[in-house]
Each structure stands twice: as C-alpha cells, then as structure tokens.
C-alpha cells in the first residue's frame, strides 16, 4: 500500500507560521515531505521559520502577510505561486484572542478578532480557490477551536468564540461548494495548547490554568504537535473522503 500520509512534491502554504502551532505545522508537513511557504505578519520569525525548514532539506519561502487585509493575502498567494509554482495545501492558522467582557468590548477589540480569525480565513480560502479549482485539486485546513462549539470557562471571549464558530461553518460551506471540483476543506479545532497565546493568558490571569486543567479530562494542555498531526492527516490523501469535517483535538474537553 502506498503511504497515504506522504506529502513529497506537495507545496503547503501556512499562515501565522512564524511561531506556535503554525510553526509546528510547518515542521510536521515538511517532515512528511512537503515544501513550505510561510505567510506571516512578522517577517523576522517568518524568515527564521523558512531557514529551519530549509535545514530539513525542503524548499521554503516566506512572505510578509497581514491576513486581516484581503489585498495582503492575495499578494502573498500570488507571490507564493510565482516562487513555488503551485499550492497544494493551505493551512489558515493565523489567529488572535482577546479576553474582554462583552459589555466592555471595544469596537476595535471585536473587529480585530473577527477580521483576523474569521475574515482572514475566508480571504485565504478565496485567494487560493481559483488556482486549486483550476487544477481540480487541493486541501485546505482551517484552524478553528473547540471555542467554536462550546463557551470556555472562566475567560470572557465572545468575539473569539463567534469567530471560531464562523470558521467551522465557513469550512462546511466551502467544502460543500468545492467538494465536487477536487478541493477539500476541513478544520481542526484544538483545545488548550501550550503556546504564547495561552502562556500570556495564564501568566496574566493566574487562576485560569488550574480551571482549564480541571475541565480537561486528560488533565493538562496539549502541545502544538498534537494539532499539527491532525492537520497532517486532513492535508494528506489519507483524508480523501473527509470534507467539511471539524476534527476536535482537545484532550477530551468537549466530551464532558
Ligand atoms: P500564537 O499567538 O502563538 O501564534 C499566532 C501566530 O499568528 C503568530 O505567528 C502571529 O504572528 C500570527 N498572526 C497573528 N495575527 C496575524 C495577522 N493579522 N496576519 C498574519 N499572521 C498573524 O497562537 P497559537 O499558535 O496558539 O494559535 C494558532 C491558531 O490556533 C490560532 O488560530 C488560534 O486561535 C488557534 N487555537 C489556539 C489554541 C491554543 O490553546 N493555543 C486553542 C485553539 C485554537 P506574530 O508573531 O507576528 O504576532
């Protein structure tokens, strides 16, 4: 049997891959054989990540990109196509969190989260669509969150929850539109994962970590690799019949 998880010869574009979960996704897909393009807000972490991928023996390209601007995403995709020739896999990973009570949430706090997490994901999907649909092949994996299905405790984060619920429904909507034309769209919904995002939360709000651990059946946070492996599956031919699925990887959080 051929190795359905082998990504040799594929090109994967990952947003927000300068650090955290995105960077681990880049490493994991590269280890599976893919060449990697990194679209990232911070050009220095982006080029550092690209250097690391080259060190693994794969081709890598980095481009500055702010996913909240449709034009910036379109330019990044055009630049990746020019330098790498094709995009087989898109991972919309860039995202932010804001912890504000709903009644105290400013216009800009709300819009930052919706623009980056939800609209940014749509801009990414839309930008690669003409290329993938014309080739009749492609796999898009959107990083949603368990927060798209449940309301987290104790942190108030209505904009974040709404943005991720939107990503899950966007994923299903695009999957239904494009499934018959060779382009698969799926999402991965992580539970609590140890990255800068959650580190910032637990160092500012010192009682949150214990609550999170207590509410997670496995009793601790996951690692970026736990998410990256789920992305790898959905990106690969092993998932050829998976379309519009939301793969929850949360240490059991949503089972309780
Ligand atoms: P981090 O904050 O550690 O990393 C986020 C990355 O996204 C950074 O590289 C950041 O760049 C980049 N980014 C932020 N805004 C933009 C933008 N406008 N344009 C381009 N890139 C941007 O977060 P995580 O790695 O933890 O999160 C990655 C994804 O996983 C997010 O979508 C998040 O919502 C989701 N997720 C995370 C969970 C967790 O527990 N950590 C749980 C569930 C989902 P820069 O360094 O320049 O700021």
């Amino acid at each position: 049997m051929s190795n359905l998880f082998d990504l040799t010869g594929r090109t994967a574009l990952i947003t927000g891959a300068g650090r955290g979960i995105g960077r681990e996704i880049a490493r994991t897909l590269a280890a599976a054989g893919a060449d990697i393009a990194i679209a990232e807000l911070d050009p220095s972490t982006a080029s550092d990540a690209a250097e690391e991928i080259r060190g693994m023996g794969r081709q890598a390209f980095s481009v500055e990109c702010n996913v909240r601007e449709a034009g910036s995403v379109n330019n990044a995709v055009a630049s990746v196509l020019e330098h790498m020739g094709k995009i087989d896999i898109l991972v919309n990973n860039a995202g932010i969190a804001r912890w504000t009570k709903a009644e105290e949430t400013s216009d800009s706090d709300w819009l930052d989260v919706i623009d980056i997490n939800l609209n940014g994901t749509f801009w990414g999907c839309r930008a690669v669509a003409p290329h993938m649909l014309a080739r009749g092949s492609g796999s898009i994996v959107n990083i949603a969150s368990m927060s798209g299905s449940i309301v987290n405790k104790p942190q108030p984060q209505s904009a974040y929850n709404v943005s991720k619920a939107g990503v899950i429904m966007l994923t299903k909507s695009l999957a239904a539109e494009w499934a018959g034309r060779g382009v698969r769209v799926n999402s991965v919904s992580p539970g609590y994962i140890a990255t800068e995002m959650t580190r910032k939360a637990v160092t500012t709000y010192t009682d949150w970590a214990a609550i999170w651990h207590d509410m997670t059946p496995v009793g601790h946070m996951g690692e970026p690799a736990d998410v990256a492996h789920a992305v790898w599956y959905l990106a690969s031919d092993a998932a050829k019949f998976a379309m519009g699925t939301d793969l929850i990887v949360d240490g059991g959080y949503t089972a309780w």
Side-chain angles (χ1 to χ4, degrees):
M1 192 175 76
S2 64
N3 181 357
L4 296 171
F5 290 90
D6 185 6
L7 301 181
T8 303
R10 312 270 169 98
T11 300
L13 166 59
I14 305 154
T15 67
R19 62 182 162 93
I21 291 171
R23 182 128 176 192
E24 192 60 30
I25 293 169
R27 285 188 194 109
T28 299
L29 301 190
D35 295 322
I36 304 291
I38 291 153
E40 162 69 64
L41 199 55
D42 180 343
S44 66
T45 60
S47 60
D48 189 58
E51 201 50 49
E52 182 186 349
I53 299 300
R54 279 185 213 104
M56 295 173 70
R58 308 289 172 227
Q59 288 183 48
F61 173 72
S62 66
V63 58
E64 192 174 340
C65 175
N66 183 351
V67 301
R68 76 179 296 163
E69 308 292 343
S72 177
V73 176
N74 292 341
N75 289 342
V77 166
S79 184
V80 172
L81 288 174
E82 190 188 326
H83 285 86
M84 304 197 79
K86 66 189 175 91
I87 298 170
D88 302 287
I89 297 161
L90 167 67
V91 184
N92 286 300
N93 163 80
I96 62 163
R98 292 271 191 281
W99 301 291
T100 54
K101 292 178 180 163
E103 69 275 21
E104 293 167 7
T105 297
S106 66
D107 294 10
S108 64
D109 279 339
W110 180 270
L111 290 172
D112 283 350
V113 174
I114 301 295
D115 278 346
I116 292 170
N117 294 5
L118 176 56
N119 296 342
T121 299
F122 179 66
W123 307 146
C125 294
R126 191 183 64 178
V128 299
H131 171 71
M132 287 187 174
L133 292 169
R135 296 174 76 215
S137 116
S139 175
I140 298 174
V141 184
N142 296 323
I143 305 302
S145 169
M146 66 175 179
S147 311
S149 306
I150 53 96
V151 175
N152 304 66
K153 195 175 162 188
Q155 68 274 32
Q157 50 174 40
S158 54
Y160 185 83
N161 297 345
V162 167
S163 73
K164 294 301 187 175
V167 169
I168 293 168
M169 184 48 78
L170 173 67
T171 299
K172 292 183 196 300
S173 304
L174 299 182
E177 280 197 44
W178 297 340
R181 292 192 276 164
V183 177
R184 295 186 299 105
V185 190
N186 293 288
S187 58
V188 171
S189 278
Y192 293 113
I193 305 296
T195 66
E196 185 60 23
M197 183 184 276
T198 44
R199 196 198 57 76
K200 215 184 289 173
V202 299
T203 50
T204 311
Y205 308 97
T206 49
D207 55 330
W208 288 7
I211 297 168
W212 293 355
H213 294 172
D214 193 46
M215 292 183 72
T216 304
V218 73
H220 58 79
M221 287 196 206
E223 298 165 1
D226 296 323
V227 181
H229 290 141
V231 172
W232 177 13
Y233 159 67
L234 288 171
S236 77
D237 292 345
K240 74 177 171 51
F241 201 57
M243 295 168 197
T245 199
D246 179 46
L247 180 49
I248 299 179
V249 182
D250 67 353
Y253 189 103
T254 53
W256 265 347

